[in-house]
Amino acid sequence: MRGAVLYAPGDVRVEERENPAIIAPTDAIIRVSATCVCGSDLWDYRGVNEVTQPTPAGHEYVGVVTEIGDEVKNIGVGDFVVGSFFASDNTCEICEAGYQSRCAHAEFVGAGGAQAEYLRVPLADGTLVATPGMPDDDLIPSLLAASDVLGTGWFGAVAAEAGPGKTVAVVGDGAVGLLAVLAAKQLGAERIIAMSRHASRQKLAREFGATDIVEERGDEGVARIKELTGGYGAHSVIEAVGTQESMMQAIRSARPGGHVGYVGVAHGVELPGEEVFFAEVHLHGGPAPVRRFLPELVQLIWDREIDPGKVFDLTLPLDEAAEGFKAMDERRAIKTLLKP
Amino acid sequence: MRGAVLYAPGDVRVEERENPAIIAPTDAIIRVSATCVCGSDLWDYRGVNEVTQPTPAGHEYVGVVTEIGDEVKNIGVGDFVVGSFFASDNTCEICEAGYQSRCAHAEFVGAGGAQAEYLRVPLADGTLVATPGMPDDDLIPSLLAASDVLGTGWFGAVAAEAGPGKTVAVVGDGAVGLLAVLAAKQLGAERIIAMSRHASRQKLAREFGATDIVEERGDEGVARIKELTGGYGAHSVIEAVGTQESMMQAIRSARPGGHVGYVGVAHGVELPGEEVFFAEVHLHGGPAPVRRFLPELVQLIWDREIDPGKVFDLTLPLDEAAEGFKAMDERRAIKTLLKP
């Protein structure tokens, strides 16, 4: 099969790879209908994370099940499925509490490389969610978004306790930040402030439900949020970048007693204990337990109540994955969908 | 009046000080019935916090109101009152959300030095809670505990979401940690693990409701907590020390999705962003909004349902404040009560 492999920073190649096979009786194999490039893939692509060997790329996927292991019960061959980037048994105490990304038996699905024609998904019963039927083509981008960026933005909004009566600020205007805006809107937030200085992203943020745009960053951004919230700060802040600056911007934008939901994968972040202590905010985040939200998100998409697929502003054949990475790296594209 | 003043690390003197007077019409003056030495006072006493000038000591107090400003409505002369170490208006949005320690008009009551015969309390209506009547002498230590250490331990337990069905671990066996055990018990926690290696403190922890004692610290302590919780970690962890080691011990002792409530004043703490991200715990804490809990805590004490005053294992006349500090610094005493 064809599959994308990251050889070194800036060096993505689509090449012939071995087809995946069932290894454990809880596995499923899917034929990938659509996959994409994640903002978190750029940490590797930019050399922030070390790439020590050629690594299959991608961890977001939707597709049709072609084979299942003997113990798979809930998913059948022919099902159209959406899954999280972390495989989970969905039965352990951690999963039952809604933290499937930290399942006692969690495995990174992306280890197999989802930017490919086929993908092995471990713990299929606990990881995959089947759609009610074969989706129309136009639903596929949104279903694909559910497998990570929508689920991650949603978790950020839930972790930040976005909801009725709340003013929510979103730090980061990548796909996750934009979908955190959508999530905050769905969760009933009263006011949603998107922090963005890119016209096209501001526009999408407004489509997704942003009521205000703040272009300033850092201390100036914090000051603007305070101005907009009677001096108190936002009730809820969603952090969707993962840098020191963005984390501090998020913490400082929240009011005492407010909630910061952080879903940008932390890189080089050190939180100053004393400032965090006196900030007196709630902090919660991490790799999103997308599986917790998938049934609800799939239904919302199926019913065409949300259209998170709008974050894909570039669609390419899988063979052009390298250009897909490049366009995102250069911020020419918000998010690239790849068609195997 | 007599009052304790910290001149330099290790140098506490009780000397003649000017009586406090009403400054703002929202002030009250109280005659202090009992005051005490706080674990957080030891940061100054030990020279961890710089002491640049002679500083009135103490921020915990109960007493009788002797004078009120013209705008004080809810508190009257002659009332026996308990108050928090932070004055709060109790009417701003932050107070209404339960974060009185970060009130938009917060003032540190301890600025006036509570280890004294009289104390000025700003924003008396929003800060003080009157007891239902004049308390019996034996209730005074418990009411005094409510003004900080009980309220702080309680906030830690609430921040850690201690409650029915939960396993709660408590890092720190000072007065706050011990009262966090009591709080967790009152909040209905199923299992309470006190981390302590001091026999007298272990005994008090058990009296307050601890079901298990873990003597190990650091990574070994974390391993023991994991062993006791099916490998997952505790649902709730209360941090009541404030050092790098104790914070990391707390975070690592919590399961993914669990809650860490930190109330030890952070000193020299830097939280590693990546570890915090993947730990996927909830973090919340800071200076306790004691005022939120005071009405309930005063009632529980009045009804003799809890006896937090047991943390005072040394009672001295105010004039012997220096010995009170020394005994706590040397861990000969858990907490020193001072009688003006």
Side-chain angles (χ1 to χ4, degrees):
Chain A
M1 67 168 187
R2 304 289 290 168
V5 177
L6 182 68
Y7 274 78
D11 182 5
V12 175
R13 305 177 200 171
V14 176
E15 58 187 24
E16 205 56 36
R17 294 182 50 216
E18 201 173 336
N19 274 33
I22 298 283
I23 297 173
T26 46
D27 288 349
I29 305 294
I30 66 168
R31 188 176 66 246
V32 176
S33 302
T35 178
C36 51
V37 182
C38 185
S40 69
D41 292 331
L42 297 181
W43 292 113
D44 301 321
Y45 184 80
R46 289 171 174 162
V48 179
N49 293 342
E50 201 182 2
V51 179
T52 54
Q53 55 180 21
T55 307
H59 54 267
E60 297 158 284
Y61 58 94
V62 291
V64 177
V65 177
T66 58
E67 198 183 346
I68 56 172
D70 291 343
E71 293 177 15
V72 176
K73 302 272 180 283
N74 306 332
I75 297 292
V77 170
D79 284 353
F80 190 93
V81 291
V82 188
S84 163
F85 49 96
F86 270 112
S88 53
D89 61 26
N90 215 21
T91 57
C92 74
E93 276 191 39
I94 305 299
C95 284
E96 289 194 340
Y99 286 87
Q100 289 90 342
S101 48
R102 292 294 317 276
C103 167
H105 301 106
E107 284 183 56
F108 183 52
V109 179
Q115 291 168 13
E117 291 180 278
Y118 292 90
L119 178 68
R120 181 179 75 89
V121 180
L123 302 169
D125 275 343
T127 307
L128 298 171
V129 172
T131 53
M134 270 298 154
D136 293 336
D137 277 355
D138 69 326
L139 283 184
I140 286 181
S142 286
L143 291 167
L144 175 61
S147 83
D148 180 352
V149 278
L150 173 61
T152 295
W154 200 276
F155 175 55
V158 168
E161 299 211 349
K166 298 281 187 82
T167 294
V168 180
V170 181
V171 179
D173 63 0
V176 171
L178 292 167
L179 291 171
V181 169
L182 179 152
K185 171 77 175 172
Q186 285 290 314
L187 293 166
E190 184 173 304
R191 192 174 186 189
I192 303 168
I193 307 168
M195 303 187 87
S196 170
R197 49 178 60 174
H198 300 270
S200 62
R201 293 166 189 238
Q202 291 175 1
K203 183 168 170 289
L204 195 47
R206 287 204 185 270
E207 283 180 47
F208 283 154
T211 54
D212 300 81
I213 302 288
V214 165
E215 296 207 338
E216 292 85 350
R217 289 184 187 172
D219 290 347
E220 288 178 17
V222 172
R224 279 292 294 146
I225 298 291
K226 293 266 172 82
E227 266 177 49
L228 292 169
T229 54
Y232 294 123
H235 299 97
S236 302
V237 183
I238 301 159
E239 192 286 334
V241 183
T243 62
Q244 183 72 20
E245 189 194 26
S246 63
M247 273 299 281
M248 296 319 297
Q249 185 174 322
I251 291 170
R252 292 169 185 163
S253 295
R255 65 178 57 196
H259 291 77
V260 177
Y262 46 90
V263 289
V265 182
H267 280 78
V269 174
E270 291 278 335
L271 299 179
E274 199 169 345
E275 178 170 350
V276 167
F277 185 81
F278 287 101
E280 199 135 22
V281 297
H282 298 76
L283 294 169
H284 184 46
V290 173
R291 183 62 178 79
R292 187 205 309 181
F293 309 111
L294 271 182
E296 180 184 1
L297 299 180
V298 166
Q299 196 62 50
L300 284 170
I301 293 164
W302 197 260
D303 296 341
R304 296 180 183 273
E305 294 196 14
I306 57 174
D307 191 2
K310 282 185 186 168
V311 293
F312 294 106
D313 53 355
L314 179 63
T315 297
L316 294 171
L318 173 61
D319 276 340
E320 293 173 33
E323 167 57 18
F325 274 78
K326 199 155 180 281
M328 282 176 64
D329 179 40
E330 295 169 0
R331 289 181 79 85
R332 285 184 282 117
I334 296 173
K335 195 165 175 75
T336 309
L337 185 147
L338 298 172
K339 287 194 158 172
Chain B
M1 68 169 187
R2 304 291 290 168
V5 178
L6 183 68
Y7 273 77
D11 181 6
V12 176
R13 308 179 200 170
V14 176
E15 58 187 24
E16 205 56 37
R17 293 183 51 217
E18 200 173 337
N19 273 34
I22 298 284
I23 298 174
T26 46
D27 288 349
I29 304 294
I30 67 170
R31 188 177 66 246
V32 177
S33 303
T35 177
C36 51
V37 182
C38 184
S40 69
D41 292 330
L42 297 182
W43 293 112
D44 302 319
Y45 184 81
R46 289 169 174 163
V48 179
N49 293 342
E50 201 181 2
V51 180
T52 53
Q53 55 181 18
T55 306
H59 54 266
E60 298 158 284
Y61 58 95
V62 290
V64 177
V65 176
T66 57
E67 197 182 347
I68 56 173
D70 290 342
E71 293 176 15
V72 176
K73 302 272 181 283
N74 306 332
I75 297 292
V77 170
D79 284 352
F80 190 93
V81 292
V82 188
S84 163
F85 48 97
F86 270 113
S88 52
D89 60 26
N90 215 20
T91 57
C92 73
E93 278 191 38
I94 304 299
C95 284
E96 288 194 339
Y99 287 88
Q100 288 89 341
S101 48
R102 290 295 317 277
C103 168
H105 301 105
E107 284 183 56
F108 184 52
V109 180
Q115 292 168 13
E117 291 181 277
Y118 291 90
L119 177 68
R120 181 180 74 90
V121 180
L123 300 169
D125 275 342
T127 305
L128 298 171
V129 172
T131 53
M134 271 298 155
D136 292 337
D137 277 355
D138 68 328
L139 283 184
I140 285 181
S142 287
L143 291 167
L144 175 61
S147 83
D148 181 352
V149 279
L150 173 61
T152 294
W154 199 276
F155 175 54
V158 168
E161 299 211 348
K166 299 282 187 79
T167 295
V168 179
V170 180
V171 179
D173 62 1
V176 171
L178 292 167
L179 291 171
V181 169
L182 178 152
K185 172 77 175 172
Q186 284 290 315
L187 292 166
E190 184 173 305
R191 191 175 185 187
I192 302 167
I193 308 168
M195 304 186 86
S196 171
R197 48 178 62 173
H198 300 270
S200 63
R201 295 166 188 238
Q202 292 175 0
K203 181 167 172 289
L204 194 48
R206 288 203 185 272
E207 283 180 48
F208 283 154
T211 54
D212 301 82
I213 302 287
V214 164
E215 297 207 340
E216 293 85 349
R217 287 185 188 175
D219 291 348
E220 287 178 16
V222 172
R224 279 291 294 146
I225 298 291
K226 292 266 171 79
E227 266 177 49
L228 291 169
T229 54
Y232 294 122
H235 298 98
S236 302
V237 183
I238 301 158
E239 191 284 335
V241 183
T243 62
Q244 182 71 21
E245 190 194 25
S246 63
M247 272 300 281
M248 296 318 299
Q249 184 174 324
I251 291 170
R252 291 169 184 161
S253 294
R255 63 178 58 195
H259 292 76
V260 177
Y262 46 90
V263 289
V265 182
H267 280 78
V269 173
E270 290 279 334
L271 299 178
E274 199 168 345
E275 178 170 351
V276 167
F277 186 81
F278 287 101
E280 200 136 20
V281 297
H282 297 76
L283 294 169
H284 185 45
V290 173
R291 182 62 179 76
R292 188 203 310 179
F293 309 110
L294 270 182
E296 179 184 359
L297 299 180
V298 166
Q299 197 62 50
L300 284 169
I301 293 164
W302 198 261
D303 296 340
R304 297 180 183 274
E305 294 197 11
I306 56 175
D307 191 2
K310 282 185 188 171
V311 294
F312 294 105
D313 53 355
L314 179 63
T315 297
L316 295 171
L318 173 63
D319 275 340
E320 292 174 35
E323 167 56 18
F325 274 78
K326 197 153 183 282
M328 282 176 63
D329 179 41
E330 294 169 359
R331 288 181 80 84
R332 285 184 280 118
I334 296 173
K335 195 165 174 74
T336 308
L337 186 145
L338 299 172
K339 289 195 156 171

